[in-house]
Amino acid sequence: MTALLLGMTGCGSDAGAAVRPADTPVPKVAEQTAKSALAGLIVLPRSFGADPKHTTGPFSTESYIANFSADPALDRALLLNSGFVEGYRASRLSPDKKKRYVVELFKAATPAKAKILQDGFWRQEPRNHPFRVPGALSNAHAAYDAGTEKNEAIAEASIVVGSLVALLSVRQSAPLGTSVRPDTALITDLAERQRARLTSNSS
């Protein structure tokens, strides 16, 4: 799909060159994307690096539904009912490329609606293995992933501070026959630091 889009973009540029003045600058997509104030609120693992295969940046209701939602109809309803204002997503990889960390921030219309949004997202999947993360919902489990045909371990947490909802996850996979355990220590540390960052900002 990316190659197809790139090919289409190239054709469009060549076709437009015949009618566009040579000195007219062509704006870049990155320059057209408005910067989000939420970017400065994101807490990331210290040793993790860029994740070239996954998006980092702001998102709207439509872009979230198109790119990240596992249940578009439900997520659209949740975002609309929360008075969703803006969101931001960041993805990072561990140095050995075996762990992927993702954090998403959602800004709702009010603190009460943020709590409803958090609850709606959290209840979308069975989460029956909580562990202790102060001030957060948490869950950790390992299971077979039919899509990748590997064992996958996921540790995740959800936080609400004011009108902001933060969803955090650390995922790692291993070949069949190899055990893999959720990194609850890492997600606990990140959740605590993320909550502190959001609390400090709201005060």
Side-chain angles (χ1 to χ4, degrees):
M1 179 62 73
T2 301
L4 177 59
L5 290 175
L6 289 175
M8 291 175 63
T9 302
C11 291
S13 297
D14 292 340
V19 296
R20 185 189 306 116
D23 59 349
T24 301
V26 180
K28 297 180 180 179
V29 173
E31 295 172 350
Q32 295 177 8
T33 303
K35 292 184 178 180
S36 171
L38 298 180
L41 302 180
I42 294 284
V43 170
L44 299 171
R46 294 183 178 91
S47 61
F48 283 40
D51 183 356
K53 294 184 179 180
H54 289 75
T55 301
T56 289
F59 60 80
S60 63
T61 297
E62 294 305 321
S63 60
Y64 182 81
I65 296 301
N67 297 300
F68 311 123
S69 175
D71 190 334
L74 178 56
D75 285 343
R76 184 183 297 278
L78 287 172
L79 293 174
L80 290 175
N81 290 337
S82 73
F84 174 71
V85 178
E86 62 176 323
Y88 194 91
R89 174 187 169 98
S91 180
R92 294 291 187 272
L93 286 176
S94 61
D96 61 6
K97 312 299 184 191
K98 293 182 178 180
K99 296 179 183 179
R100 172 170 284 111
Y101 174 70
V102 175
V103 56
E104 296 173 330
L105 286 185
F106 301 81
K107 185 174 183 180
T110 66
K113 289 188 175 184
K115 291 290 291 183
I116 294 172
L117 181 62
Q118 178 198 39
D119 186 65
F121 277 138
W122 198 251
R123 290 177 180 272
Q124 286 184 353
E125 300 176 12
R127 290 180 166 95
N128 305 316
H129 300 91
F131 55 99
R132 187 176 181 276
V133 180
L137 301 175
S138 61
N139 191 69
H141 74 277
Y144 170 69
D145 184 349
T148 61
E149 297 184 344
K150 293 182 178 181
N151 292 327
E152 185 176 54
I154 306 171
E156 53 192 343
S158 177
I159 305 162
V160 172
V161 176
S163 61
L164 293 173
V165 180
L167 303 179
L168 306 79
S169 68
V170 175
R171 296 172 180 262
Q172 53 190 320
S173 60
L176 292 179
T178 304
S179 63
V180 59
R181 303 180 67 178
D183 195 339
T184 55
L186 177 59
I187 205 71
T188 298
D189 173 64
L190 289 167
E192 290 178 343
R193 291 197 287 124
Q194 183 65 73
R195 185 170 183 270
R197 174 77 61 83
L198 296 179
T199 302
S200 175
N201 180 76
S202 64
S203 63

